[in-house]
Amino acid sequence: MATVAEPLEQVKQRIDLIANEKAREEVDSGEAKLIDVREPHEWDEAHLEGATHVPQAELLDRISELVPDRSDRIVLYCRTDNRSSRAADALQDLGYENVSVVRGGIVGWQEAGLPVVAPEGLTAEQRMRYSRHTLLPEVGVDGQVKLLNSKVLLIGAGGLGAPSALYLAAAGVGTIGIVDDDAVDESNLQRQIIHTTDRVGVPKTASARASIEALNPDVKVVEHRTRLDADNVLDIISDYDVLVDGADNFPTRYLLNDASVRLRKPVVSASILAFDGQVSTFVPYEGPCYRCLYPVPPPPEMAPSCGAAGVLGVMAGVMGLLQANEVLKLVAGIGEPLIGRLLLYDSLGTRFTELKVNRDPDCPICGDAAPEIDESEMGKFPDYEAFCAGAPVLR
Ligand SMILES: [Zn+2]
């Protein structure tokens, strides 16, 4: 009887280890059932053609369903041939009479130059780097490839943009654009964690690029060292799949909203002040837009800036990462985005509140009667600075 404590050499004496070529012939002819007993991330990296994946821990529970007849031919393999030998031994104990193990496992198979099935679209390094993503059935290799092919634009490399950018970069978002015309200031470092003390005075886009490139060389960073305005907004956002609004002023938020509705680009929008934050996802025509939610900016006295009122640094992380989470879901096409929902976070009470937000049929931008904008008028927005006169910074 096999036990975990029994030396492997002893176990292997009871196992029929077969050569690659023999295993291949048996599997190709349909004579044998080939089972890979490794862990899911190993399977995802590469496996043998025709194999069924059953991690060793699940094998005994699933074998009677997979191979009901105990006299049927079974060939097991693992990375070398240790785990598969123990697994074969356990099957023999269960009464399976015709079990063999591929000598040398998939490592020996590859060393012999025999073909394996490797997922397309990811390099060996990427399969390793993103293995904790690809292990998730909802993401998988396909989802990771979508992330690597995606283009995400961050409006602002400040409190919200900093944590978003770092996690989106770590997640392997292939192109990250950053719009910001500020330089790093010492007072930013309490929450804008993408920047560092030695980069005070450096443009924020350049500082963010340095951190992102150090974290993940897969990411292409595009610096837009400017402010969004009516002349450049359509050009800049048209290249991207998802926009992350961490703007520090109302004119930019309204401008971004109107342009994104016209180009049908989803916007993940958040804001923070003191101990409170809010986040929502605006997907044009699927749910409300920013202007459905806030038809006009609040008067200045109702919306003090972080500079004037302060903000708990960690709020930037909490809300910025909720934004990053929304982006990853939108890109991978999974889960339930915050469309038509406004999520409020009160950090002092540690409470989340969700409000339902409907599209406004009278919305001047996405409403039923909103005017058609033809090509020649694209980008000719109202005077946002006047519209939002005196509107404060909110970030
Ligand atoms: Zn609207």
Side-chain angles (χ1 to χ4, degrees):
M1 177 65 70
T3 67
V4 175
E6 188 180 3
L8 204 49
E9 302 76 58
Q10 221 165 297
V11 173
K12 282 190 177 175
Q13 285 172 11
R14 297 193 289 271
I15 304 302
D16 176 42
L17 291 151
I18 59 172
N20 296 326
E21 285 303 338
K22 178 163 166 51
R24 207 178 173 190
E25 279 165 28
E26 288 193 34
V27 174
D28 285 352
S29 67
E31 203 178 309
K33 176 99 181 159
L34 181 66
I35 298 178
D36 182 329
V37 299
R38 297 173 304 155
E39 297 304 308
H41 68 272
E42 299 179 277
W43 166 269
D44 283 343
E45 270 178 44
H47 53 263
L48 303 190
E49 195 171 357
T52 300
H53 179 223
V54 185
Q56 189 181 358
E58 298 170 23
L59 185 64
L60 295 188
D61 288 336
R62 291 176 54 193
I63 193 67
S64 61
E65 175 198 333
L66 284 166
V67 186
D69 187 339
R70 293 183 188 202
S71 63
D72 278 359
R73 177 75 176 144
I74 298 173
V75 174
L76 304 180
Y77 75 92
C78 60
R79 200 178 84 85
T80 54
D81 48 30
N82 294 342
R83 282 174 285 172
S84 47
S85 289
R86 289 205 188 271
D89 196 38
L91 290 185
Q92 288 178 165
D93 284 349
L94 269 186
Y96 284 87
E97 302 158 3
N98 199 359
V99 186
S100 292
V101 161
V102 179
R103 186 188 299 279
I106 192 169
V107 168
W109 190 279
Q110 285 176 296
E111 279 170 5
L114 296 170
V116 296
V117 180
E120 284 179 23
L122 294 183
T123 64
E125 292 78 20
Q126 288 172 334
R127 289 201 293 274
M128 193 63 77
R129 178 181 284 265
Y130 305 115
S131 63
R132 297 307 184 274
H133 268 169
T134 55
L135 276 171
L136 297 166
E138 293 83 353
V139 180
V141 171
D142 287 353
Q144 188 61 51
V145 169
K146 283 183 193 167
L147 290 174
L148 286 163
N149 290 331
S150 70
K151 296 179 166 187
V152 176
L153 181 68
L154 299 168
I155 291 86
L160 294 162
S164 284
L166 285 176
Y167 269 88
L168 293 174
V173 166
T175 302
I176 296 180
I178 303 167
V179 186
D180 205 306
D181 67 346
D182 260 354
V184 179
D185 183 83
E186 218 169 357
S187 68
N188 299 151
L189 300 175
Q190 163 255 21
R191 65 198 176 287
Q192 299 180 17
I193 56 163
I194 203 165
H195 308 304
T196 55
T197 305
D198 64 350
R199 297 206 289 259
V200 167
V202 170
K204 284 189 178 178
T205 53
S207 168
R209 173 201 283 273
S211 295
I212 291 171
E213 287 179 349
L215 175 59
N216 188 348
D218 281 345
V219 182
K220 179 183 167 205
V221 179
V222 181
E223 293 182 52
H224 302 277
R225 211 173 287 176
T226 180
R227 281 183 91 80
L228 282 188
D229 62 31
D231 291 330
N232 65 21
V233 65
L234 290 171
D235 256 3
I236 291 176
I237 72 172
S238 64
D239 277 349
Y240 294 92
D241 307 314
V242 183
L243 316 174
V244 181
D245 181 7
D248 60 357
N249 63 86
F250 281 106
T252 301
R253 284 182 185 262
Y254 282 93
L255 174 69
L256 178 70
N257 177 70
D258 300 355
S260 65
V261 170
R262 289 179 208 193
L263 297 190
R264 294 177 179 257
K265 304 277 184 186
V267 180
V268 180
S269 183
S271 61
I272 54 174
L273 190 67
F275 300 98
D276 295 304
Q278 52 177 267
V279 58
S280 192
T281 296
F282 301 111
V283 178
Y285 304 106
E286 273 186 45
C289 74
Y290 187 77
R291 216 186 266 271
C292 294
L293 184 57
Y294 299 112
V296 293
E301 65 276 14
M302 295 298 290
S305 72
C306 288
V311 63
L312 191 69
V314 76
M315 288 304 298
V318 174
M319 303 315 289
L321 293 191
L322 285 171
Q323 285 181 290
N325 181 51
E326 288 297 296
V327 171
L328 297 182
K329 281 158 44 189
L330 287 173
V331 170
I334 58 174
E336 191 187 345
L338 273 172
I339 300 171
R341 298 186 288 150
L342 178 67
L343 185 67
L344 309 176
Y345 177 54
D346 154 27
S347 70
L348 283 182
T350 311
R351 281 186 193 92
F352 283 96
T353 310
E354 188 182 302
L355 304 177
K356 195 171 175 355
V357 189
N358 292 317
R359 264 179 84 189
D360 175 4
D362 298 325
C363 174
I365 298 300
C366 79
D368 301 335
E372 283 280 319
I373 309 291
D374 53 58
E375 200 64 23
S376 65
E377 302 229 317
M378 277 283 194
K380 292 187 180 157
F381 292 94
D383 183 347
Y384 285 87
E385 297 295 338
F387 172 65
C388 303
V393 171
L394 182 70
R395 154 147 82 166

